[in-house]
Amino acid sequence: MNVSAIPKGRKLYPPATAEAIAGVSRFLPAELPEDYATLLSQADGVYADHFTLFSCEELPERNATFEIGKYLPGFVIIGGDGGGSALIMRGGRGRPPVYLVGHGAMFPEFMFLLAESLEEWITAGCPVDPDAEPSAAPDGDKRS
């Protein structure tokens, strides 16, 4: 994964330590997504014009505050769009899709597919508009 491909107008923080990455899962509602752990090893947090990706330090608090384990078991909030929606991924190994869901409607039926993987989302320019063409699911339905 190439975090330098994240669009301009962003700040990449120094990489997280292996210890911080390994330890953060015990404070999350699900195992840290493997793809996101890779990102954290390159940048422990990203702040951009239209989105934020949380650092190891921020992840536990954001997931607890929005009760992600209660409303979307198996998922982890990895960031936000700065406008009331969360970027989420299924926890665990592999390369899960990236979704956008409103903080006030954290239910599967309100999740919008942004990309099939974190790497694909970054390569596409980190879109957070669920109506953008690149974010449409393969069957054309923008909801997953």
Side-chain angles (χ1 to χ4, degrees), residues 11-141:
K11 179 176 183 176
L12 302 175
Y13 285 87
T17 65
E19 295 79 21
I21 295 168
V24 74
S25 278
R26 53 185 182 175
F27 301 108
L28 297 176
E31 184 181 349
L32 183 67
E34 182 180 23
D35 232 12
Y36 199 66
T38 300
L39 179 133
L40 291 169
S41 72
Q42 297 177 36
D44 189 15
V46 176
Y47 295 89
D49 292 337
H50 62 288
F51 70 93
T52 299
L53 297 176
F54 301 134
S55 67
C56 287
E57 184 177 332
E58 295 167 309
L59 284 166
E61 183 275 327
R62 298 302 174 116
N63 279 273
T65 296
F66 294 108
E67 300 180 282
I68 191 78
K70 178 179 178 180
Y71 296 108
L72 289 168
F75 285 86
V76 175
I77 293 174
I78 61 161
D81 72 349
S85 294
L87 296 164
I88 62 170
M89 297 174 74
R90 182 168 295 284
R93 303 203 51 78
R95 301 180 68 198
V98 178
Y99 296 95
L100 186 72
V101 66
H103 289 304
M106 287 202 172
F107 302 102
E109 61 267 25
F110 297 113
M111 293 170 43
F112 289 91
L113 178 69
L114 294 177
E116 292 294 333
S117 70
L118 188 59
E119 186 169 15
E120 181 183 301
W121 183 70
I122 290 171
T123 301
C126 305
V128 292
D129 178 0
D131 293 323
E133 282 303 313
S135 65
D139 64 358
D141 184 3

